[in-house]
Amino acid sequence: VFAVTRDTIRACRLPADLDQVHQLMQRLQLNLRAAAGREPSVAVALLPNATGLLQKLHSVLLGPLQASDCGHLLEGYPQLIIVPHGRLHYLPFQALHDGEQYLTERYEISVLPGASLLRHIATPRAQHGPSLAVGYSYEGALPHAPAEAGAVAALLHGDALLEEETTSQRLRE
């Protein structure tokens, strides 16, 4: 983990094995798929298992950052900007659970696809024009992305580009 603040860059090697993290993520995905589209009682029955997996993922990925192992890297920061690597892009970091609360209840969280985008969010900019939400399911790999983008566009009174509309030309326009 590289922790970047305005003044410093610190590195901390996590003790977790990457295969262990991927295995936990696979189990979480199976749990979520088992609950999707089923009766609410099924989702309720699977919730303890999902929460347990989210706690294990929190423990191996963020626990060391909150402990002396990595010098309490997260202490004193109300906002986290997470730039995951590889398969971690598919992990819902906001849902990680520390045994008492979800990560999103403790921190304001943003997730970026790459660190190069940090320079674009460092300085708040005045909004120019309407909001645009983009929803591309990557040929079904992210099945809810179009609906989520549509909901965000509606909340922000903006437009949505969905699926095949998400071209470079349309984004420039």
Side-chain angles (χ1 to χ4, degrees), residues 123-133 152-153 155-159:
T123 308
R125 299 178 187 186
Q127 187 166 346
H128 303 286
S131 297
L132 176 66
V152 168
L155 285 170
L156 299 176
H157 307 289
D159 296 318

Side-chain angles (χ1 to χ4, degrees), residues 36 97 141 147 167:
H97 199 277
T167 64

Side-chain angles (χ1 to χ4, degrees), residues 109-143:
I109 299 173
S110 301
V111 179
L112 297 179
S116 62
L117 295 175
L118 283 170
R119 63 187 165 113
H120 297 291
I121 65 168
T123 308
R125 299 178 187 186
Q127 187 166 346
H128 303 286
S131 297
L132 176 66
V134 177
Y136 182 67
S137 71
Y138 198 67
E139 298 176 10
L142 302 168

